[in-house]
Amino acid sequence: AMLRLRLLTWDVKDTLLRLRQPVGQSYAAEARAQGLQVQPEALGRSFREVYGAQSRRFPNYGHGQGLSSRQWWLDVIKQSFRLSGVQDEAALTKLAEKLYRDYCSSRNWEALPGAAETLSRCRELGFRMGVVSNFDNRLEVILSQCDLRHHFEFVLTSEAAGFAKPDGRIFEQALRLGGVRPEQAAHIGDDYSRDYRAARAAGMHSFLLRPAGQGEGPEVPPEHVLPTLSHLLARIEK
């Protein structure tokens, strides 16, 4: 069946961009540069624990709870180091400020294989393009630094939208920005519930980026699965 798509919306983390190295490693490297010894694996575990707790207590970067996303992140970074044994508050503040800035650049992010080529091809085919990402307001700069920003008419973050995927309201905002009806749009992402299922619940089409051999996930019709980004073109070529 012809999909008659006009708009493609894209998740970013682990769909278009990925971290060059685990968080624990880059945090530990920055600590070393400041003369502090912290074990990367322990730091990674601390980070996951703190990030999870902060996300539950202050969802979507504390939106509507009087917290800026910058403060949200500074707290996460400092608490991750505290859990890993760093107690010097002056050092913690310096580390947090530096890492918050570092994650704004292509030093820590790289494009997934096929990302730039697939986005270029989609634009050549005449699709309108937008980003729908659970991310803070640094995303525009990160996409620019990684040379992907120019592919998109709009970049909608959960921070700017005030809603995070799987909340359908972030997709509704994207459809308004793209000026299309839900059935004229498809969302591409790597998360089954936040991307694939949430977009479908909003009336859109969607494709799930699921690399081969990535273990068993929920059942998805094979024609909706993308083993790599370049598989998208065969699914949508008009």
Side-chain angles (χ1 to χ4, degrees):
M2 292 293 286
L3 292 182
R4 306 247 181 273
L5 297 174
R6 292 179 53 204
L7 171 72
L8 300 178
T9 64
W10 299 78
D11 171 54
V12 174
K13 187 174 183 294
D14 298 325
T15 296
L16 296 174
L17 295 179
R18 62 186 173 197
L19 290 172
R20 289 183 184 272
Q21 55 177 358
V23 170
Q25 282 181 29
S26 46
Y27 279 26
E30 188 50 51
R32 269 198 309 281
Q34 297 193 24
L36 296 163
Q37 290 306 312
V38 191
Q39 216 270 332
E41 284 73 19
L43 194 46
R45 282 193 300 274
S46 298
F47 171 80
R48 285 189 293 277
E49 185 180 323
V50 171
Y51 180 89
Q54 183 86 326
S55 301
R56 286 186 295 276
R57 189 175 167 205
F58 299 109
N60 197 16
Y61 312 106
H63 180 92
Q65 292 178 280
L67 210 59
S68 69
S69 59
R70 182 174 172 278
Q71 194 53 57
W72 191 98
W73 274 112
L74 295 177
D75 291 347
V76 166
I77 299 167
K78 287 195 267 195
Q79 189 57 22
S80 300
F81 278 104
R82 282 192 200 104
L83 271 191
S84 305
V86 180
Q87 299 304 331
D88 176 346
E89 283 298 318
L92 286 169
T93 299
K94 196 174 160 194
L95 274 170
E97 298 276 357
K98 177 81 166 65
L99 284 163
Y100 179 79
R101 282 196 307 274
D102 280 355
Y103 273 82
C104 219
S105 80
S106 54
R107 231 173 80 177
N108 278 305
W109 296 97
E110 64 185 2
L112 265 81
E117 299 80 353
T118 303
L119 293 172
S120 296
R121 187 76 190 107
C122 289
R123 280 173 66 222
E124 283 165 13
L125 289 167
F127 292 105
R128 307 189 68 170
M129 307 268 280
V131 161
V132 179
S133 173
N134 288 356
F135 220 102
D136 61 82
N137 56 20
R138 291 174 295 179
L139 187 56
E140 290 260 6
V141 176
I142 293 168
L143 287 167
S144 296
Q145 289 251 333
C146 296
D147 200 28
L148 295 181
R149 175 64 186 90
H150 64 282
H151 294 296
F152 303 105
E153 288 180 37
F154 63 87
V155 172
L156 182 60
T157 63
S158 57
E159 180 176 11
F163 306 105
K165 300 179 296 188
D167 192 311
R169 288 171 289 188
I170 192 170
F171 290 105
E172 286 163 18
Q173 284 189 34
L175 292 167
R176 280 200 295 277
L177 287 168
V180 303
R181 297 191 308 276
E183 67 274 13
Q184 298 174 309
H187 180 70
I188 298 100
D190 70 304
D191 188 283
Y192 174 76
S193 57
R194 287 192 292 262
D195 292 310
Y196 178 75
R197 222 178 52 199
R200 291 195 169 257
M204 297 168 65
H205 299 272
S206 63
F207 297 98
L208 181 66
L209 181 65
R210 186 186 267 174
Q214 202 193 46
E216 280 305 296
E219 273 297 302
V220 174
E223 65 272 21
H224 298 164
V225 175
L226 308 175
T228 72
L229 282 174
S230 16
H231 282 76
L232 177 68
L233 298 165
R235 308 267 195 272
I236 60 171
E237 292 261 22
K238 295 181 168 169

